[in-house]
């Protein structure tokens, strides 16, 4: 087991770990999840965003662990396109009014059931998708209406390491499932 797993697993209910272990597709909102939710406007009126480098590494590692990653956001931004391109994320859906329909279509295209999907959100436009998936996750600074529908909330806020924390949970939770499938052959793996 990875040295990461004990810190991520510590104190989490079994139901949360089971939901995390089932995830094969993680869908992330952008504003308030991958960013801190603030929009900075440049002199030409372009909205600027800041992304946390630790979150980027978490996303790359999650994809490397075999979990599909998608971005589903209501806003459209060239900055988001550029950042996702840098990270190698190809499922980037911007300007989405119906996030549940979008997430359902992505899952269907991958042959996955919604119970195998995580949606990570922070505000009301995320609620319907969060209610429908197998693992609904809210970042620490999410609105109360979102925390109420989440199966789990990160301890870090959006744009401040929440995505890294979520990626680590998803990766660590999948270790027992992998061991069960291969009869324990991975016991010595780190």
């Amino acid at each position: 087991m990875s040295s990461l797993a004990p810190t991520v697993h510590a104190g989490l209910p079994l139901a949360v770990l089971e939901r995390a272990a089932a995830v094969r597709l993680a869908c992330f909102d952008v504003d308030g999840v991958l960013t801190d939710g603030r929009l900075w406007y440049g002199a030409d009126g372009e909205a600027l965003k800041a992304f946390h480098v630790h979150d980027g590494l978490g996303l790359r590692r999650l994809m490397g662990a075999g979990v599909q990653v998608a971005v589903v956001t209501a806003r459209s931004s060239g900055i988001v396109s550029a950042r996702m391109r840098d990270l190698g994320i190809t499922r980037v859906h911007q300007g989405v009014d119906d996030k549940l329909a979008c997430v359902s279509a992505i899952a269907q295209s991958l042959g996955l059931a919604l119970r195998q999907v995580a949606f990570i959100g922070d505000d009301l436009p995320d609620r319907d998708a969060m209610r429908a998936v197998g693992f609904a996750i809210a970042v620490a600074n999410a609105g109360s209406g979102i925390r109420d529908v989440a199966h789990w909330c990160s301890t870090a806020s959006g744009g401040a390491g929440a995505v890294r924390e979520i990626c680590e949970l998803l990766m660590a939770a999948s270790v027992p499932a992998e061991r069960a499938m291969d009869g324990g052959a991975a016991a010595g793996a780190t």
Side-chain angles (χ1 to χ4, degrees):
M1 181 182 287
S2 126
S3 61
L4 184 59
T7 58
V8 174
H9 284 142
L12 291 179
L14 181 59
V16 168
L17 296 173
E18 288 173 345
R19 286 180 184 277
V23 171
R24 298 296 171 261
L25 168 64
C27 298
F28 294 84
D29 178 34
V30 174
D31 296 316
V33 173
L34 285 164
T35 74
D36 66 8
R38 294 183 295 171
L39 296 175
W40 299 78
Y41 284 91
D44 295 330
E46 181 181 11
L48 305 174
K49 304 169 191 270
F51 297 92
H52 200 295
V53 68
H54 293 173
D55 290 345
L57 181 58
L59 289 165
R60 283 181 185 232
R61 291 183 66 223
L62 184 63
M63 290 184 297
V67 175
Q68 301 292 319
V69 171
V71 168
V72 180
T73 180
R75 297 179 59 89
S76 293
S77 167
I79 294 168
V80 171
S81 297
R83 179 62 175 148
M84 296 309 115
R85 192 171 38 255
D86 287 348
L87 295 174
I89 297 172
T90 57
R91 291 179 185 85
V92 180
H93 303 270
Q94 299 190 69
V96 176
D97 291 326
D98 186 342
K99 292 184 179 186
L100 174 54
C102 183
V103 169
S104 296
I106 298 166
Q108 184 177 15
S109 75
L110 294 169
L112 300 173
L114 285 178
R115 66 180 162 68
Q116 296 174 290
V117 177
F119 191 93
I120 298 86
D122 73 309
D123 212 344
L124 297 177
D126 306 320
R127 188 170 48 194
D128 289 343
M130 290 176 71
R131 283 183 173 155
V133 299
F135 193 24
I137 303 171
V139 293
N141 57 319
S144 62
I146 296 305
R147 288 192 309 268
D148 294 344
V149 300
H151 298 113
W152 183 72
C153 294
S154 67
T155 59
S157 293
V163 169
R164 177 67 169 265
E165 180 182 350
I166 292 161
C167 291
E168 289 177 355
L169 167 62
L170 294 174
M171 288 184 296
S174 69
V175 170
E178 290 169 6
R179 284 191 181 151
M181 287 189 295
D182 71 6
T190 58

